[in-house]
Amino acid sequence: MTKGDRMDFGVRDDDQLILDSLTGFAAEQLRPNLRAFEAARGVAPAVSATFGEMGFERLELPEQLGGAGLGMVTRVLTNIALAGADAGAALALDRLGPALYVLAAFGGESALERFAAPMLERPGARAVLIVDHQDRRISAGDRISGRNSWAPTDRADLVVGLGPSSAWVLEGPGRVEPVPGAALHAAGASRVAFEGNLAAAWTDATAAAAALAKVRLYVAALMVGVMEDAAEFSRDYAQGRLAFGQPIAHHQGLAFVIVDMFTAVAQARLLVEDAARRIEAGDDAVQASAAAFVECVEASRFVGPNGVQILGGHGFMRDYPVEKAMRDMRALGLMAGGLHRARDEAASHPDALSEAFAGVA
Amino acid sequence: MELKISPELHEQVLATREWGQTEVRPAGLEADRNAAPLPPEHPYFRKFIDSGRAKARAEGGDAPEGRMLRGVILGEEGAYWDRGMGVASPGAGFPSGAVNAGGTEEQKERFLGMFRDLATPMWASFALTEPGGGSDTAAFKTRAVRTDKGWVLNGAKCFIGNAARAEWILVQATLDPAKGRAGQRSFFVENGMPGLTGMRIEKKMGLRAYESVSFSLEDCEIPAENILGGETRKERAEGTGSSAYGATMASLNTARVGVAASALGVARAALDEARRFASESGSVRHSRVRDQIERVVRKLRAARLATLKAAWLVDQRRGNIIESSMAKIASAEIAQEAGMLGMEIVGLEAGAGDELIEKLFRDAKALNIVEGTGQIQRVIIARQLVGLPR
């Protein structure tokens, strides 16, 4: 490069330290309990406590509020790592979850101080984010009621709503009604009914777009983690399983599927990391985040079923994690407002920059 | 991840864009309409030299920091205007990398020196592919036999870029077919040497701006010193091959990354044409059209990131076998898809054959074939991922 170019696809040293610590935690505490947490519909309290003690609950909270003040790039890397072990546990452990982005985008630090920090002080408390497709014409103090069909949670101590150009906060427990759930059971599975007077309400289309961009990347990164795990697990299986005198991975029909799975995941990951980079750089990342989410959903619809397919009948059985991965990634794709809305927003910027670089240093 | 370029490189991109718009695209369209490469005496090539571009190419032999990333960014921009004209550019071009990497000092002076200060357009060429084998380079049949006077080459090559107008062709030949790739060496076959015969410029579907040539070597006698690296190279290469540096270099792939960058340029050109028509006709308001454009924008962005990453790994001297093949697959496939979609959106106007998108649609197909087809790239990746046997 000429002097002054700054191109780097590596991981920052600080992020690497966090990832090393988190990966160790996930390998020791989460992965071995994959099915136990699923059956229990929750993560063991001791594991959750350890996660909090290690500071991971407060990665993105400002330092003034006892957080680490880290940004979107760190978040997507940590979510990928956690979901590689168990996406349901990742959701359960990050008790504030993507609701943080809505509070921060609309209410700034004062909203985080008022709603987020106290919630984290209450053991086991969880925030639930409801992504509405229409704005509710409401103000702080107004009475609100509603119900969502499914959320991967077993508690709703703080309910945060995000509309196309508005947001609201409801304190006090929402009523959670357990449902069978399709996936992500370690985080719980509930219908959330909420009713009460709004603690806060805002209208700001720019803030809504910025918050939703982060919510999408949060979920997209979880999808990447599950996809990476499914691709690697099925690859390893295919190398050990013999058919017709050789590993099934050496039959080109399967080898090419495995290559295409890895390629799909790599592409999705690049888009997620790039969108997170744009957010940290202060660039407009609404289109890029929506596109990254769409790419993750499309990739998951290829990687998930093929991960099961490679294991054949075994893949269909709960003895192996690939059937869970297929369900988890499909369910994740329903979150953050879903695919169609993301595609609408990715496509509504037909002049999205198609330059070979993001900007001039 | 950081993706910022300096104002200086940005200036170079803009200069490439201006040159592309005013000179490269018209020249490429002219060649395409004539269904033949521009003749060596065409004014475009003189302008190319006068603009200093040939000199800049000749000076690219060393590997300054970040060279591959810079090459990808400028390569995409160049290919946007006409990928074929990029290959047709005068200079030592493609084989210069092999000569710089494996040639003796005397060979570098003798064969690359002539390109340093080009006064008139000149070309060099690199001949690998044979009629009976494209991707399976180990199966090549062109033979080189040592005689008292030098070497005698026999065989046939095909799809060789710029070979009919080249001052010399670097020909890959085998000394011992039983040794596969290990038995192969490269030889400088100079223009006019007896036995270099049967030059035939192929008629192509696309990328018509440069010569793709088939030729034969019939008892073609060349001097002993025309073997790349000299006769003792093999021993030296084996000596360095075991070093960490040698092993790392062997795992770097630059050619695939370069073709991926070209594919990005073709894809972006096709996307821009598709978007322009969709916007002008109003069809972009239909979600079916809009969503297909969105898909190409997204896949192109992902392919670009993959290509930049593969280039970054080269510049970092880190292995990039998987990444470069993934980038090649992604870029070539999205170029193809963008061309196909563009045809669809432009519709019957595209069928009439005089729209740029129709040319781009034809050009794009080649990029999923050259430098290892999409299938060969998958074989390469599968060897790394699952140990697919050779």
Side-chain angles (χ1 to χ4, degrees):
Chain A
M1 306 302 287
T2 45
K3 198 173 171 224
D5 299 317
R6 294 204 307 272
M7 291 271 191
D8 193 345
F9 283 82
V11 175
R12 294 178 297 218
D13 291 347
D14 289 355
D15 285 340
Q16 192 58 56
L17 285 173
I18 293 170
L19 284 177
D20 290 345
S21 158
L22 197 66
T23 305
F25 166 82
E28 288 167 19
Q29 308 279 331
L30 303 185
R31 188 62 173 206
N33 295 311
L34 187 76
R35 293 299 188 181
F37 291 165
E38 183 184 37
R41 296 169 66 98
V43 173
V47 172
S48 189
T50 304
F51 187 80
E53 285 158 16
M54 292 171 86
F56 292 134
E57 281 182 344
R58 296 167 185 263
L59 275 186
E60 290 165 280
L61 268 190
E63 290 177 29
Q64 299 88 310
L65 298 177
L70 297 169
M72 204 66 218
V73 169
T74 309
R75 168 54 67 192
V76 300
L77 293 175
T78 54
N79 269 12
I80 290 169
L82 280 172
D86 183 357
L91 285 166
L93 291 170
D94 187 25
R95 297 188 290 131
L96 197 50
L100 175 142
Y101 305 128
V102 179
L103 296 173
F106 284 88
E109 202 169 300
S110 64
L112 292 174
E113 187 173 11
R114 181 176 165 199
F115 300 114
M119 196 213 77
L120 288 174
E121 296 302 323
R122 301 208 298 276
R126 299 266 297 273
V128 172
L129 175 65
I130 311 275
V131 178
D132 286 328
H133 294 306
Q134 289 184 324
D135 289 313
R136 298 164 190 254
R137 298 184 183 282
I138 43 179
S139 307
D142 286 356
R143 190 143 189 92
I144 188 175
S145 69
R147 195 175 81 132
N148 86 332
S149 301
W150 165 71
T153 189
D154 57 352
R155 289 178 63 158
D157 299 84
L158 183 70
V159 183
V160 177
L162 174 64
S165 60
S166 63
W168 48 267
V169 181
L170 190 61
E171 280 185 297
R175 191 160 43 82
V176 292
E177 174 195 332
V179 292
L184 303 166
H185 289 95
S190 307
R191 286 188 214 284
V192 179
F194 48 92
E195 185 170 8
N197 295 327
L198 287 177
W202 304 275
T203 300
D204 182 342
T206 306
L212 186 55
K214 290 184 173 182
V215 174
R216 284 189 175 125
L217 285 185
Y218 184 101
V219 177
L222 294 174
M223 279 192 268
V224 170
V226 183
M227 287 194 285
E228 281 187 355
D229 179 52
E232 280 166 18
F233 190 94
S234 53
R235 182 264 304 266
D236 294 349
Y237 177 91
Q239 286 181 284
R241 171 86 182 186
L242 300 180
F244 306 104
Q246 59 179 330
I248 59 173
H250 292 179
H251 296 284
Q252 214 170 60
L254 247 74
F256 278 21
V257 169
I258 293 168
V259 168
D260 287 346
M261 287 167 70
F262 274 79
T263 304
V265 182
Q267 302 274 290
R269 182 177 182 134
L270 282 167
L271 287 179
V272 169
E273 289 190 16
D274 178 54
R277 172 194 66 76
R278 289 174 197 238
I279 286 177
E280 278 201 7
D283 298 336
D284 179 4
V286 171
Q287 196 278 343
S289 301
F293 185 86
V294 173
E295 182 72 12
C296 285
V297 174
E298 286 191 358
S300 76
R301 295 194 328 199
F302 175 75
V303 174
N306 275 311
V308 174
Q309 191 75 19
I310 287 168
L311 271 72
H314 289 298
F316 202 69
M317 305 303 155
R318 289 165 50 85
D319 301 333
Y320 291 93
V322 283
E323 64 82 25
K324 182 176 186 300
M326 177 178 155
R327 290 184 289 113
D328 283 351
M329 59 179 98
R330 188 65 286 254
L332 285 165
L334 308 177
M335 297 171 64
L339 172 66
H340 298 304
R341 189 163 156 202
R343 199 193 299 279
D344 278 347
E345 286 179 25
S348 64
H349 300 260
D351 297 324
L353 197 68
S354 58
E355 290 278 5
F357 46 86
V360 181
Chain B
M1 188 194 282
E2 269 199 281
L3 292 176
K4 292 273 187 197
I5 67 168
S6 62
E8 186 187 342
L9 180 53
H10 189 233
E11 281 300 314
Q12 290 178 308
V13 172
L14 295 180
T16 304
R17 184 168 303 165
E18 188 184 348
W19 170 259
Q21 195 164 11
T22 55
E23 304 294 340
V24 180
R25 180 160 284 170
L29 286 170
E30 181 183 337
D32 191 66
R33 286 196 200 98
N34 296 340
L38 301 180
E41 61 278 10
H42 191 281
Y44 171 85
F45 299 121
R46 162 58 57 192
K47 276 190 192 168
F48 184 88
I49 288 168
D50 292 346
S51 73
R53 285 179 162 72
K55 193 171 167 60
R57 276 186 110 199
E59 286 168 353
D62 295 334
E65 194 185 342
R67 179 171 170 235
M68 197 70 219
L69 268 167
R70 185 173 170 275
V72 163
I73 290 168
L74 295 174
E76 175 185 333
E77 189 59 38
Y80 179 93
W81 299 103
D82 198 291
R83 202 270 170 170
M85 287 306 298
V87 181
S89 299
F94 194 43
S96 65
V99 178
N100 271 316
T104 63
E105 290 309 313
E106 187 270 336
Q107 286 170 337
K108 287 180 199 173
E109 187 53 39
R110 185 172 151 213
F111 292 105
L112 297 181
M114 66 177 83
F115 291 99
R116 251 172 239 139
D117 287 301
L118 275 188
T120 55
M122 290 200 303
W123 289 264
S125 179
F126 186 53
L128 194 65
T129 304
E130 299 190 358
S135 300
D136 185 4
T137 53
F140 288 168
K141 292 191 170 58
T142 297
R143 288 292 302 270
V145 176
R146 186 73 164 96
T147 65
D148 293 344
K149 288 184 272 182
W151 299 92
V152 174
L153 271 56
N154 276 287
K157 295 287 178 180
C158 66
F159 314 149
I160 308 304
N162 298 327
R165 61 183 66 188
E167 297 299 309
W168 48 265
I169 308 167
L170 192 62
V171 172
Q172 191 83 353
T174 182
L175 305 181
D176 182 355
K179 289 184 178 170
R181 199 169 293 127
Q184 293 177 2
R185 295 293 301 270
S186 300
F187 299 85
F188 293 96
V189 178
E190 296 166 69
N191 190 1
M193 279 182 162
L196 174 59
T197 180
M199 286 282 175
R200 190 174 79 111
I201 298 174
E202 302 286 352
K203 304 284 185 200
K204 288 184 288 188
M205 176 169 87
L207 297 184
R208 291 165 166 172
Y210 70 92
E211 292 173 350
S212 291
V213 181
S214 297
F215 63 83
S216 300
L217 296 153
E218 294 177 5
D219 292 328
C220 180
E221 290 185 32
I222 63 169
E225 62 270 24
N226 276 25
I227 181 167
L228 181 69
E231 292 193 65
T232 55
R233 182 217 66 147
K234 191 165 182 296
E235 292 70 29
R236 284 193 283 118
E238 279 175 357
T240 56
S242 60
S243 72
Y245 180 75
T248 304
M249 289 305 286
S251 72
L252 292 178
N253 194 296
T254 58
R256 266 175 264 152
V257 180
V259 173
S262 295
L264 295 175
V266 175
R268 176 153 61 91
L271 170 64
D272 280 356
E273 284 300 287
R275 279 203 290 215
R276 185 167 66 81
F277 268 79
S279 181
E280 286 173 4
S281 69
S283 66
V284 74
R285 289 194 296 273
H286 299 292
S287 58
R288 275 184 217 140
V289 171
R290 191 200 61 171
D291 287 357
Q292 289 187 81
I293 291 176
E294 184 280 322
R295 180 182 151 82
V296 173
V297 170
R298 170 164 43 91
K299 294 284 183 188
L300 173 55
R301 182 182 296 152
R304 180 179 296 120
L305 288 166
T307 306
L308 288 170
K309 184 176 181 182
W312 176 75
L313 288 167
V314 171
D315 290 335
Q316 298 284 310
R317 295 282 184 273
R318 285 163 62 179
N320 75 342
I321 293 176
I322 290 176
E323 289 83 358
S324 59
S325 285
M326 281 184 176
K328 167 73 167 59
I329 290 172
S331 305
E333 290 185 354
I334 197 57
Q336 215 170 273
E337 191 175 330
M340 294 279 178
L341 175 63
M343 288 293 283
E344 193 73 41
I345 287 174
V346 178
L348 294 176
E349 284 289 337
D354 49 10
E355 287 289 344
L356 175 62
I357 188 65
E358 189 271 338
K359 172 183 178 293
L360 292 166
F361 152 75
R362 288 183 280 111
D363 286 353
K365 187 69 204 87
L367 296 163
N368 203 16
I369 298 170
V370 298
E371 200 52 40
T373 64
Q375 289 65 43
I376 289 297
Q377 303 304 334
R378 285 172 170 83
V379 168
I380 291 167
I381 298 170
R383 283 178 188 152
Q384 302 292 317
L385 286 181
V386 300
L388 190 72
R390 288 176 183 274

